[in-house]
Amino acid sequence: MRPAHIALAALVAAVWGVNFVVIEIGLGHFPPLLFSALRFLAAALPAVFLVGRPKVAWKWILGVGLVLGVAKFGLLFIGMDLGAPAGLSSLVLQVQAVFTALFAFALLGERPGGVKAAGMAIALAGIAVAAVDEGTSGPLAGFLLVIGAAVCWGVSNVLTRKASPPDALNFMVWVSAVPVLPLLALSLLVEGPERDLAALRGLDWAGLGVIAYVAWAVTVFGFGAWGWLLRRYPASSVAPFSLLVPVFGMSAAALFLGEGISGPRWCAAALLVGGVALTSLWRGSPSPVPPAATPAEREAGPPDPLPGDGPSAGLSDGPSGRPSGARSGAPSGGPASGR
């Protein structure tokens, strides 16, 4: 990769990592479900009028929008509102790469090899260490909701894999339009109209800045730049940069929020990042080159495609578990996340 493009990939990881601190600040201005709804509203408008018509079937846009936008971000924002630390949340969400691999195996029949299975076990061990540490020093309920958000992210990754969007930015903008009304309805039911109206009446420049950051910097710039890089370089060159997200997230939380990083949390971080790296980056041995076809085989034409062949075949996950989009331009790695 060119130095300027390496700097761009690192910048995206930094934007995504700092996002967890921005979410923490935003939760001081808005109830979590309303905050999530406003984030997607700002990401979708006016962009939906600029990116053109959706380039995949509506069922995939609706499916990813509900699972990623409503379930994943709803659980993440509520979990952080209940006290899950920003730095720890940026780290724990990376386990979605493990859930993506598990769901891809269960639903798509994509069997992980021995090295990936070992990486999944190592990452889950890191989650166990983090859970024990959080259970003794912080609110376990918020931690478990962040784990639930990672599970939902894994499901949305598999749905995105099936959708194979040819334009990552177009897909994310239309997906962002889906959660707005469901999240607003849930906010009115769960958080109450009085609390929502009080937050909107008290909207100030800090609140507007938080919404602008999570909507435009994280979603529009982050996913747009990530997809741009993936259209120019192999996913294996771009995806490792998403492993920097928890590094930036934990560092920013320590710097701006004063969050301490305990010994067990460092251990959990090492296990999680190492396990996710094995799960997401290991490609295995290259496939043998098939022998040249005989003249008779060439005359007969190409064989019928195997089940799963075609533009959507071959899930190749980045470190955050999103499909690499090497064929389609879909974003890979980006621990979406709290993006």
Side-chain angles (χ1 to χ4, degrees):
M1 293 177 64
R2 295 173 55 185
H5 297 164
I6 291 174
L8 178 61
L11 175 61
V12 173
V15 167
W16 283 343
V18 173
N19 183 49
F20 289 88
V21 172
V22 177
I23 292 172
E24 186 77 24
I25 296 170
L27 290 171
H29 290 75
F30 309 100
L33 293 173
L34 176 64
F35 183 21
S36 189
L38 294 174
R39 171 251 177 96
F40 284 110
L41 178 64
L45 295 177
V48 289
F49 300 109
L50 304 175
V51 297
R53 295 170 59 85
K55 295 178 171 57
V56 299
W58 278 105
K59 64 179 180 180
W60 301 121
I61 291 173
L62 292 173
V64 175
L66 292 173
V67 176
L68 181 71
V70 178
K72 183 256 184 175
F73 280 101
L75 291 174
L76 173 66
F77 281 33
I78 294 172
M80 292 182 65
D81 190 55
L82 290 178
L88 182 64
S89 298
S90 73
L91 173 67
V92 169
L93 267 185
Q94 301 312 307
V95 80
Q96 57 83 26
V98 174
F99 292 120
T100 299
L102 290 173
F103 291 135
F105 170 64
L107 302 176
L108 305 179
E110 297 178 356
R111 187 181 302 274
V115 174
K116 285 197 173 188
M120 291 160 62
I122 292 170
L124 290 175
I127 288 294
V129 172
V132 170
D133 181 52
E134 189 65 11
T136 57
S137 63
L140 186 58
F143 177 86
L144 294 177
L145 287 178
V146 175
I147 294 290
V151 173
C152 294
W153 198 357
V155 174
S156 75
N157 290 337
V158 174
L159 293 177
T160 302
R161 153 75 172 81
K162 293 293 289 182
S164 295
D167 184 332
L169 182 59
N170 173 283
F171 183 68
M172 283 307 303
V173 167
W174 281 102
V175 162
S176 295
V178 173
V180 176
L181 291 180
L183 284 168
L184 285 174
L186 286 172
S187 180
L188 289 172
L189 288 173
V190 176
E191 296 162 346
E194 295 83 4
R195 189 179 175 194
D196 287 351
L197 286 173
L200 293 174
R201 288 194 191 103
L203 187 61
D204 55 14
W205 286 108
L208 288 172
V210 163
I211 293 172
Y213 185 92
V214 298
W216 299 334
V218 173
T219 303
V220 178
F221 165 75
F223 282 104
W226 200 255
W228 185 86
L229 288 168
L230 284 167
R231 284 192 292 273
R232 284 156 179 79
Y233 297 100
S236 58
S237 299
V238 179
F241 285 92
S242 71
L243 289 177
L244 295 174
V245 173
V247 175
F248 285 114
M250 295 177 74
S251 301
L255 180 63
F256 296 110
L257 302 177
E259 289 185 6
I261 305 177
S262 64
R265 196 164 293 180
W266 279 117
C267 177
L271 290 170
L272 247 174
V273 172
V276 167
L278 285 176
T279 302
S280 303
L281 302 181
W282 179 259
R283 295 289 186 269
S285 1
S287 302
V289 178
T294 65
E297 289 171 336
R298 285 196 296 270
E299 186 177 344
D304 292 332
L306 295 173
D309 282 355
S312 65
L315 178 65
S316 176
D317 292 333
S320 73
R322 267 196 292 277
S324 68
R327 301 183 183 199
S328 63
S332 166
S337 102
R339 294 193 293 283

